[in-house]
Amino acid sequence: MKELTDHAAAAAFRRLVAHLQHRHDAENIDLMGLAGFCRNCLADWVMEADGTLTKDEARELIHGMPAAEWKPRYQSEATPEKLQRMQESMAKNAASH
């Protein structure tokens, strides 16, 4: 099996971030319920990998604006059903997350 190059990974990551910045209708709670991660998780991974970014800086990079601005603009109230789905999905995540 071929290995994913850093160049390809970086390009795909940038495309993912641009896609998430465009698709505000894909809410974090829905991403969590389906895939077990969301924009905030992605920002946390970037923060951890970089080592110099704060949580707010990393979230701004991923959201395309300060999280304090993004949240009231694009995040609706989570329903009990969405919260349950998120918890079930997250339970499938690897322990290393």
Side-chain angles (χ1 to χ4, degrees):
M1 177 188 325
K2 287 190 169 193
E3 188 172 313
L4 179 62
T5 66
D6 287 346
H7 175 76
F13 176 78
R14 287 185 188 96
R15 189 170 178 180
L16 171 63
V17 170
H19 184 76
L20 290 172
Q21 288 176 356
H22 173 72
R23 289 294 309 269
H24 298 294
D25 61 312
E27 291 193 48
N28 281 345
I29 191 76
D30 297 323
L31 294 170
M32 291 294 288
L34 181 63
F37 83 99
C38 68
R39 290 170 182 84
N40 294 336
C41 298
L42 194 56
D44 289 347
W45 299 340
V46 167
M47 179 186 67
E48 291 168 9
D50 180 86
T52 65
L53 294 171
T54 67
K55 183 175 279 205
D56 287 338
E57 290 169 335
R59 288 187 177 185
E60 185 169 348
L61 286 172
I62 299 303
H63 288 82
M65 65 184 70
E69 181 182 330
W70 186 90
K71 187 175 179 178
R73 200 182 228 183
Y74 298 111
Q75 184 172 309
S76 64
E77 193 68 33
T79 65
E81 295 80 18
K82 287 184 178 186
L83 289 169
Q84 177 64 35
R85 185 167 183 201
M86 178 190 74
Q87 289 176 344
E88 291 170 0
S89 179
M90 289 188 61
K92 297 176 184 177
N93 286 355
S96 64
H97 274 65

